[in-house]
Amino acid sequence: MARKTANDDPLAPVTLAVGQEDLLLDRAVQEVVAAAKAADADTDVRDLTPEQLQPGTLAELTSPSLFAERKVVVVRNAQDLSADTIKDVKAYLGAPAEEITLVLLHAGGAKGKGLLDAARKAGAREVACPKMTKPADRLAFVRGEFRGFGRSATPEACQALVDSIGSDLRELASAVSQLVADVEGTIDEAVVGRYYTGRAEASSFTVADRAVEGRTAEALEALRWSLATGVAPVLITSALAQGVRAIGKLSSARGGRPADLARELGMPPWKIDRVRQQMRGWTPDGIAVALKAVADADAGVKGGGDDPEYALEKAVVTIARAARSRGRA
């Protein structure tokens, strides 16, 4: 979720929201607007793009009013402001007007860095809104959403939701909101499965789970559904690789409690339990065969073959057969 500086007053004269995660940027704006309207229900909110904020516009918006009304001025994509408008904003930062809160949304890159530095130097309240590219970040986001509602969700449920929904934070937030509204008590993996079974079936991780469990028909069905709903083939090969590697890691690890193995292998304890169940039927030779199948599929979907779908189907069938190699030995 968005991280804030020590100055956590949403009614600070200037708020600087930095990053490229649209949901977090919107929430930073909503927080300021909500605080302003709580202080004055008649607060005037102006939400502007760089094209709408021309030289002189900011001075006009922040000039003293006869009615002394509270105002929030939001400037989106501040890194794209013209040079003359940036001069206006920098001048305003040196002497912000009373009863007015300026919210600057900035992508945080090199473009427009002078404005970014000037806002920080002026002591702006800063809210970090980084793009969440890592699965662990999205998992932490989901946990934070449940905590924000004062609700409890199991680690398995949070992971299942991320696996089912994917990387879109708005959809993840919406899913959490729906579950919280509809379900009483602790939210577990079974609940997530009931609500998002269609999305889960289209998940690359579902393809991998069914394959490493030796369930060929279900794995192929999930694969075709995933491809039909637009899941990128490279994400499926990545999930297959993670599934096979997890089995390889656990099969070669020393025995012990899930918590101890989790620390040793860098997996959450709940995943240790799941992989243990998936390991039945696997042999070292089977793992080697499956890893080669994943490598071949990865090459196939990245331009090394004529038909990415065929490459994935072949890998899924090979992995599922390898998962039953102990039974055939």
Side-chain angles (χ1 to χ4, degrees):
M1 63 181 60
R3 298 187 301 274
K4 302 168 187 175
T5 58
N7 178 10
D8 198 21
D9 180 6
L11 293 181
V14 181
T15 286
L16 179 65
V18 184
Q20 299 179 41
E21 191 61 71
D22 289 341
L23 174 65
L24 301 184
L25 290 167
D26 285 346
R27 285 185 173 181
V29 172
Q30 291 163 8
E31 182 184 29
V32 172
V33 171
K37 286 186 175 294
D40 182 353
D42 295 325
T43 294
D44 181 21
V45 179
R46 302 295 181 91
D47 199 323
L48 307 171
T49 64
E51 295 76 21
Q52 294 171 314
L53 194 67
Q54 296 298 316
T57 303
L58 183 61
E60 181 180 326
L61 290 173
T62 57
S63 60
S65 167
L66 291 176
F67 304 102
E69 63 181 352
R70 181 177 289 278
K71 188 177 293 183
V72 175
V73 179
V74 180
V75 180
R76 297 185 182 272
N77 298 313
Q79 72 278 357
D80 295 331
L81 292 171
S82 68
D84 288 338
T85 303
I86 286 177
K87 289 180 183 178
D88 288 352
V89 176
K90 286 182 177 180
Y92 177 82
L93 292 173
E98 292 185 9
E99 301 299 311
I100 292 178
T101 299
L102 175 65
V103 184
L104 299 174
L105 276 56
H106 194 293
K111 187 176 182 181
K113 189 173 184 299
L115 177 58
L116 192 64
D117 292 341
R120 286 170 172 163
K121 186 176 180 181
R125 166 182 178 259
E126 185 168 343
V127 181
C129 307
K131 199 75 175 174
M132 294 191 180
T133 57
K134 298 179 180 178
D137 292 337
R138 294 191 286 273
L139 186 59
F141 172 80
V142 167
R143 289 172 177 162
E145 290 291 290
F146 280 117
R147 282 196 301 270
F149 283 108
R151 294 295 299 278
S152 175
T154 66
E156 295 88 346
C158 294
Q159 185 65 57
L161 199 59
V162 172
D163 291 347
S164 301
I165 301 298
S167 60
D168 191 306
L169 286 201
R170 291 187 189 279
E171 292 192 27
L172 285 169
S174 177
V176 170
S177 179
Q178 180 180 5
L179 289 169
V180 166
D182 293 355
V183 180
E184 296 182 357
T186 299
I187 295 165
D188 58 20
E189 187 177 15
V191 169
V192 174
R194 287 200 302 272
Y195 272 73
Y196 297 99
T197 181
R199 295 298 297 273
E201 290 297 329
S203 163
S204 56
F205 290 101
T206 300
V207 178
D209 284 342
R210 299 298 85 81
V212 299
E213 290 162 4
R215 295 154 67 177
T216 308
E218 293 175 47
L220 287 172
E221 182 182 358
L223 171 63
R224 288 160 189 153
W225 199 338
S226 293
L227 293 172
T229 54
V231 177
V234 68
L235 295 180
I236 299 174
T237 56
S238 175
L240 289 170
Q242 290 182 47
V244 175
R245 286 171 185 158
I247 288 171
K249 284 182 179 180
L250 193 55
S251 65
S252 62
R254 300 186 303 273
R257 298 176 304 164
D260 296 332
L261 287 170
R263 285 192 294 271
E264 180 183 344
L265 302 178
M267 298 181 190
W270 65 265
K271 189 170 184 179
I272 296 292
D273 291 334
R274 175 182 290 180
V275 176
R276 271 179 168 165
Q277 294 175 357
Q278 294 173 334
M279 280 174 56
R280 298 165 187 165
W282 281 93
T283 65
D285 287 344
I287 293 171
V289 168
L291 287 172
K292 184 178 185 306
V294 171
D296 290 344
D298 189 55
V301 303
K302 291 180 178 177
D306 297 328
D307 190 341
E309 291 188 19
Y310 172 73
L312 286 170
E313 287 188 3
K314 183 179 179 181
V316 165
V317 170
T318 301
I319 293 168
R321 286 176 178 169
R324 301 192 301 272
S325 56
R326 190 182 300 279
R328 299 196 308 271

